[in-house]
Amino acid sequence: MGIQISATIRTKYIIDTCQGIFKKKILDVGCGAGILSESLYYAGGIVTGLDISNILQHCIKNSEYYDIVVCMEVLEHIERPIEIVNLCSKLIKPGGNLFFSTINRTLKSFFTLNTY
């Protein structure tokens, strides 16, 4: 699946789950080239892309600030992923939405295309 198609599918899933994202503050943790960030922005979100190396400083300054936090394809690259999960949970407002995604490494995943 192409990167742009994956971002489109994820954006739709996030919009549907959050009952819209217009004017909601969204943090994309480990945003890379910003493909998902851009897609969320064009769908109406107020998006901040954050390199994973800056999450601790960002958390200190922005506790409970975001309506939505996304962290896609990052945790599998981190030595202690639970620390990133905990930091992301501190950045989300009460009642906000938090999304994580990692690579599915099961044998079945190699033969299945999931579009939620």
Side-chain angles (χ1 to χ4, degrees):
M1 178 178 342
I3 294 172
Q4 200 66 38
I5 294 170
S6 177
T8 302
I9 292 169
R10 288 178 176 177
T11 298
K12 182 175 176 357
Y13 177 77
I14 292 166
I15 290 169
D16 291 349
T17 303
C18 298
Q19 299 174 348
I21 63 170
F22 187 73
K23 298 279 187 184
K24 290 186 180 177
K25 291 179 267 184
I26 303 170
L27 178 65
D28 186 357
V29 176
C31 62
I35 294 168
L36 180 59
S37 296
E38 182 178 41
S39 182
L40 294 167
Y41 168 80
Y42 284 121
I46 301 167
V47 182
T48 301
L50 181 67
D51 186 271
I52 192 68
S53 65
N54 297 323
I55 190 168
L56 182 57
Q57 289 175 320
H58 197 78
C59 190
I60 291 167
K61 296 177 183 176
N62 297 285
S63 180
E64 295 186 356
Y65 179 76
Y66 295 96
D67 300 297
I68 302 166
V69 174
V70 297
C71 183
M72 305 295 185
E73 313 308 326
V74 173
L75 297 178
E76 65 269 20
H77 302 286
I78 305 297
E79 188 174 319
R80 291 182 303 277
I82 192 65
E83 291 178 10
I84 301 302
V85 171
N86 286 334
L87 289 170
C88 287
S89 71
K90 292 176 182 179
L91 289 162
I92 198 85
K93 288 179 180 178
N97 295 95
L98 184 55
F99 297 89
F100 292 97
S101 173
T102 62
I103 295 171
N104 185 351
R105 294 188 173 134
T106 65
L107 183 59
K108 183 179 178 182
S109 72
F110 289 102
F111 301 104
T112 305
L113 174 64
N114 294 316
T115 58
Y116 99 82

